[in-house]
Every structure is written in C-alpha cells, then in structure tokens.
Amino acid sequence: MDHLDILGRSIADPVVVSYLADHEKLDAFDFRKNAEIGFFGGFDSGFGLTAESLLTYKAHFEEVRSRGLPDDGEMIVTRLSFTGPDAIRSVQRAYRATLPFGLVFGDSSDVVSVKLGAGPFQKAKSSSLPEYSAERSVHSHAVGDMVVIAKYDAGWRLMAVYLMQADRNQLQGKRGKGSLLKHKIVSGNGSKVEALRNQIPTSRWRKAMAEGDELFNEADIAKAETGLNTFLDRVKEATEKADAQAIRAAVRDIVLLINEINGTSGMIETLERDELGVLIDAVVKAAGFTLRDDEDITGEWREW
C-alpha cells in the first residue's frame, strides 16, 4: 500500500477508493460508520483516514491533488493514522499492514528519525491521560510536504504514526529557509544590534519558573542566556566587519544550541519559539539583512 500517495486526493479518486477498500478488508468493523463526517476506519482498529470539505481544505492547505465530486460534496484527504498496541488501552487493535517509511511499532525515537531522514522539529508531552493510554510523548517531523507525527510510550517505543498535510504556513516557511541573500551591512549598525540585548527572553522564563512553571529549569535557562548573549556579540562584531557569512554562522550556532537544550528539557514550546524567532529575526535585520515575511532564517537547522 502506497500510504504516501493518498494525502491531498479526493475520497472519490480511484487511488483513494482502492486504498480504502484494501483497509476495509483488514478490519471491516465500523469502517464506514462515520464516513459522512469524513472519517474512515474503526476507532480501535489501528487505522484511520480523515478527509475535510473542499472549502475547509483550501483555507489551510495549498495543493488539491485530485477532484472527484462536486464542490459541495467534495472531501479531500488530510490525515492518515496508524496505531499499534497500547499496554493500558487493551481494546486498541494494532494496524495489521506495513507502516510508512519502513517504520515498525516499537522503534525507538532515534530509529524513527533515521528512517524518516529528519529529526523532530517539535517535541511535546502527550495530552492523553495516563489512565487512558500508555502514550507519553509526541514528536513532529517535517518530511517533504508532509508532517509525520510519532507517538511514544514511556520507554520511547513507537506506538502510533500520523501522516498529515503540511499547511500553507509550514510550506511557506520551508521555502523561505535561511537564504539571507539580500543584505546591506553597515558597520555602524552594531549599535542597533546591541540595543536588542534587552529582548533576550530569559528574564521572562525565570519569572515563569519562579511562579511555578515546571517547563523551565535554571541550568537550561542560564545555558540559553549565555548562548543568546554570545549570538548578539558575534553578530555585532560581524556587523562591524560587514561579514555576512559570520552572521549566518552565528544564526546557525544559536539554533543548534537551542536544539540541544530543547532536546533534553523540552522547554521550547510555542511562546518560547515565537520569542526566539522574533529576537533572531530582529538581530539579523538590524545587521542589515532583508527578510521576506515568509522567510524562516532558522529553518535549515531548527528542530523546535
């Protein structure tokens, strides 16, 4: 079964029709019970296919790969889910066919990254209640024009895999990765870079920690703070020398440092990611680079 050829197609596309028929043979129980709302597959069967209306799809995604129904009845595939056995949720049946990318239930997170050819750009704790499921962690990987979600138990063994369309914002960010091509560095701009030092977000992180936010710890905050100050120092020095490559290297190194910190603590969530992104963009622009609105200068290296 070619799982990678399904997303973005109409549910009436012959490729999707055949794909669904093959899966219905694997486990027919309740397979089409919720077809009218765009879900195929039993909730405990180990497989699920989700489709959205054409209007909803176009609001979030770019390419519609095929059409098979009138506009008011069209449904486009946006997600595939493959679930393995769950030590706590005994009613969960494991997916019975081959997983995408050669993945196998029980693979470690490191093995999953190798098979996908990409480390996770986001790591999070599972939202599932401990008494409901053995799932404990969720990693998101960018693979081509897809997002692959891998879910793990407490021993970092693969429990589930989701394939999803990358939305419009994710695709635009990917196209805009770290080009840093347009620049007019002026040596006097070093003072503009220095003025951004007070935007380093670690003071807010410490305040949140003092108020009981368990996301943070002092050792990682201090490591990030040192790295961010070094980043500003390097960009400031490179600006005085009009050295564009040195500025790009400084961006790379701070992103890799934050990757390392987040890989052990998981403390870079949505707000922290936005704070860091705004700071790095502002520093690079102060040095003299011009960035498009959809350009992600950290995207070449960032895993958070």
Side-chain angles (χ1 to χ4, degrees):
M1 298 180 185
D2 189 357
H3 306 296
L4 308 184
D5 193 34
I6 303 301
L7 296 174
R9 291 184 181 273
S10 166
I11 57 170
D13 185 311
V15 173
V16 178
V17 171
S18 175
Y19 183 80
L20 287 172
D22 288 341
H23 281 87
E24 191 168 15
K25 292 175 185 176
L26 292 176
D27 195 327
F29 185 74
D30 282 348
F31 190 85
R32 297 180 184 270
K33 181 179 179 179
N34 298 286
E36 289 187 2
I37 60 172
F39 181 79
F40 297 81
F43 285 110
D44 300 315
S45 70
F47 171 78
L49 180 149
T50 302
E52 296 183 359
S53 69
L54 181 64
L55 183 63
T56 300
Y57 184 93
K58 285 186 172 181
H60 296 96
F61 305 102
E62 292 194 340
E63 181 185 10
V64 177
R65 298 180 60 203
S66 70
R67 291 289 308 275
L69 297 170
D71 286 2
D72 59 354
E74 184 66 280
M75 302 285 284
I76 307 297
V77 180
T78 57
R79 187 177 75 173
L80 303 173
S81 60
F82 311 92
T83 309
D86 190 313
I88 293 176
R89 195 165 182 270
S90 59
V91 296
Q92 175 66 57
R93 302 188 295 282
Y95 181 63
R96 295 165 56 187
T98 302
L99 293 174
F101 299 102
L103 296 171
V104 177
F105 293 125
D107 278 347
S108 70
S109 58
D110 289 341
V111 169
V112 170
S113 292
V114 170
K115 289 182 177 180
L116 295 179
F121 66 82
Q122 187 173 38
K123 300 178 182 179
K125 295 178 181 178
S126 171
S127 59
S128 297
L129 296 173
E131 62 270 21
Y132 177 76
S133 172
E135 178 189 307
R136 295 293 180 268
S137 301
V138 181
H139 287 185
S140 301
H141 302 254
V143 182
D145 289 345
M146 292 183 297
V147 174
V148 179
I149 308 294
K151 299 188 175 186
Y152 301 95
D153 64 13
W156 294 101
R157 293 177 290 266
L158 183 66
M159 290 184 60
V161 180
Y162 289 59
L163 303 187
M164 304 171 64
Q165 287 280 78
D167 64 29
R168 184 173 287 108
N169 290 335
Q170 290 167 325
L171 289 176
Q172 288 174 344
K174 183 178 178 182
R175 293 181 189 125
K177 279 184 179 179
S179 59
L180 295 182
L181 293 178
K182 296 181 180 179
H183 58 83
K184 186 177 181 180
I185 301 173
V186 179
S187 58
N189 284 3
S191 60
K192 295 181 180 180
V193 173
E194 178 61 34
L196 294 167
R197 200 176 296 271
N198 62 5
Q199 293 188 24
I200 291 177
T202 48
S203 59
R204 187 197 69 78
W205 299 357
R206 283 196 175 91
K207 182 179 179 181
M209 182 177 66
E211 293 173 349
D213 192 335
E214 297 180 356
L215 182 67
F216 302 105
N217 67 82
E218 177 55 34
D220 285 330
I221 291 176
K223 187 174 182 179
E225 187 171 66
T226 299
L228 289 165
N229 276 302
T230 299
F231 165 64
L232 265 79
D233 290 340
R234 290 177 63 186
V235 173
K236 184 179 175 181
E237 180 182 356
T239 300
E240 298 299 337
K241 297 177 180 178
D243 188 341
Q245 290 304 314
I247 293 173
R248 188 176 188 276
V251 172
R252 178 198 63 208
D253 291 347
I254 186 58
V255 172
L256 293 177
L257 176 66
I258 300 299
N259 285 351
E260 178 186 335
I261 294 170
N262 193 52
T264 57
S265 69
M267 74 178 195
I268 308 301
E269 296 192 340
T270 302
L271 177 56
E272 294 71 35
R273 183 168 63 249
D274 290 346
E275 289 173 326
L276 291 168
V278 168
L279 174 63
I280 293 171
D281 279 5
V283 170
V284 169
K285 288 178 180 178
F289 283 95
T290 300
L291 304 176
R292 301 187 308 272
D293 289 341
D294 65 351
E295 188 166 7
D296 179 3
I297 60 174
T298 67
E300 185 173 350
W301 313 283
R302 179 170 54 83
E303 296 178 358
W304 33 275

